[in-house]
Amino acid sequence: MNELSELRTLRADTPLPDADRLTAPRTRLTAAFRQESRPERAVLPRRRMILVGAATAGALAVTAGIVTTLPEDGTRAPAGKGPQVLSAGASADALELAAATVEKHAGTEPGPKQWVYEKSTVFGQGKPRTSEEWTRWDGTGHANLPGIAPAGDISDFDPDELQVWYGPNQEEKWKREGYDDRSQRQFYRFLATLPSDPGRMMKRIREEHAIGDIKGETRAQRDWREINVLYRSVLIPPKVQAGLFRALAKIPGARVTTGVKDPLGRAAISVSVHYAEKIPSGWQGKQEIFFDPESYAYLGEKKADGKIVNARDAWGVVDKPGARP
């Protein structure tokens, strides 16, 4: 039994999506799979640019205080079930199924003294780099492994020693001085105020998320960039997770691909777009977000045809820095 199976057992009392809500998209998806059960090469003989999707993550980061760590060795897709790029209609149905599933999860905000844990891996030139971070929910503490070397003499510095920082709460200062910075708690509470309708939700995000406007960027490009950044948050309220999946379905050219693996080799689905030419943000090529195929948890992302790759190894809520889910 893997960790996801254990999580489902622990949450046996959690309300699940009702059958009526899930039947329609499942039925449409089943029909689409029968018609589109072709490997990615057959679907895209010349147009590799077509989006192959990774909708990250996002669904089940933490549910009612229960956390999960996905297996690092990955889960292989069944033999013969390679990547399959879904049509626009089937992609929309797949994203609606994801939305209908995650919006039934219970979301619980951590206590002010609890810590949000995230283990992540960055793939770049050379060996992949894995790090762990702990952030206190009220914004007064941060810890990381490996540690960051201080300026000056580092003869006694041990990167394998947990590095912990404590300081004053910055939330009121940031608000008073007009900064856009938000603690994880502030950001979670902002997300919790968003309307569930994906159109209205994205409008509010564009107005208040403050990632910055880029001259010449289209609405669809801005929405993809906003969603990409939002999924980097470890904790996202379930209704917002659902809204993000529905917003992805509205982005022209976005496609879901089944039977793929995330950057760590775990079974996944992806949501992607492809920019044939460099867009105002500087992005070009396939932009892909990965999710667990059952929980729809965010697993990682790829940008620019694999030149930028990040994976979320594990995450959760713990009671002290250095603890792991």
Side-chain angles (χ1 to χ4, degrees):
M1 177 182 292
N2 61 30
E3 286 85 342
L4 281 174
S5 298
E6 293 173 353
L7 176 65
R8 296 185 195 103
T9 301
L10 287 170
R11 294 301 300 154
D13 59 332
T14 300
L16 297 175
D18 57 85
D20 290 342
R21 180 74 185 219
L22 298 182
T23 296
R26 277 184 182 145
T27 300
R28 291 195 296 268
L29 274 177
T30 299
F33 286 143
R34 289 184 183 135
Q35 294 176 2
E36 303 179 25
S37 57
R38 304 179 297 222
E40 184 180 356
R41 291 188 299 272
V43 176
L44 305 175
R46 291 185 298 174
R47 301 183 62 194
R48 281 309 274 190
M49 64 184 72
I50 299 281
L51 315 123
V52 110
T56 135
L60 181 62
V62 174
T63 299
I66 302 299
V67 297
T68 180
T69 302
L70 296 177
E72 294 187 2
D73 58 353
T75 303
R76 294 184 177 276
K81 297 292 185 180
Q84 297 179 25
V85 182
L86 303 186
S87 66
S91 292
D93 287 339
L95 291 169
E96 176 56 35
L97 179 60
T101 300
V102 302
E103 69 185 350
K104 296 298 183 180
H105 291 144
T108 301
E109 181 181 334
K113 296 182 179 181
Q114 288 187 296
W115 297 68
V116 177
Y117 169 78
E118 181 181 25
K119 180 180 179 182
S120 59
T121 299
V122 176
F123 298 80
Q125 294 182 347
K127 185 178 180 181
R129 292 178 290 110
T130 298
S131 61
E132 297 175 279
E133 288 190 88
W134 292 260
T135 304
R136 192 161 133 152
W137 191 244
D138 64 3
T140 63
H142 185 267
N144 53 276
L145 274 175
I148 301 173
D153 182 15
I154 60 171
S155 58
D156 295 330
F157 173 69
D158 181 1
D160 295 325
E161 181 178 343
L162 181 67
Q163 196 174 71
V164 184
W165 169 90
Y166 287 97
N169 188 316
Q170 300 293 300
E171 293 176 340
E172 287 302 317
K173 178 182 177 181
W174 290 334
K175 181 178 180 181
R176 184 173 61 252
E177 297 182 2
Y179 290 109
D180 292 329
D181 303 67
R182 291 186 176 102
S183 67
Q184 291 205 40
R185 178 169 66 178
Q186 286 176 307
F187 192 59
Y188 183 92
R189 290 177 178 176
F190 160 67
L191 293 177
T193 68
L194 296 177
S196 56
D197 174 77
R200 292 170 55 214
M201 184 186 75
M202 292 308 301
K203 183 176 185 294
R204 278 281 310 282
I205 289 172
R206 287 192 297 271
E207 292 172 347
E208 301 188 39
H209 188 204
I211 65 171
D213 295 324
I214 296 178
K215 184 177 180 180
E217 191 174 41
T218 68
R219 174 69 58 79
Q221 291 166 352
R222 172 65 182 263
D223 282 355
W224 178 269
R225 188 163 60 93
E226 290 278 9
I227 293 170
N228 188 280
V229 171
L230 283 168
Y231 270 126
R232 297 176 195 171
S233 301
V234 178
L235 303 187
I236 302 176
K239 74 166 188 176
V240 178
Q241 295 171 16
L244 292 178
F245 281 122
R246 292 182 175 120
L248 283 168
K250 293 180 178 295
I251 294 178
R255 293 290 185 275
V256 170
T257 301
T258 64
V260 299
K261 293 181 181 179
D262 80 342
L264 294 178
R266 299 172 295 195
I269 64 170
S270 75
V271 178
S272 67
V273 294
H274 187 280
Y275 302 128
E277 299 179 355
K278 186 176 291 187
I279 62 174
S281 65
W283 294 358
Q284 186 174 10
K286 183 196 296 185
Q287 317 293 315
E288 192 170 17
I289 306 171
F290 298 92
F291 297 93
D292 181 86
E294 295 185 24
S295 72
Y296 300 105
Y298 172 76
L299 299 179
E301 64 171 330
K302 283 186 182 180
K303 285 194 184 73
D305 295 320
K307 294 179 181 177
I308 301 175
V309 183
N310 300 297
R312 180 174 289 163
D313 303 48
W315 63 95
V317 175
V318 296
D319 292 328
K320 61 180 181 180
R324 297 176 177 87

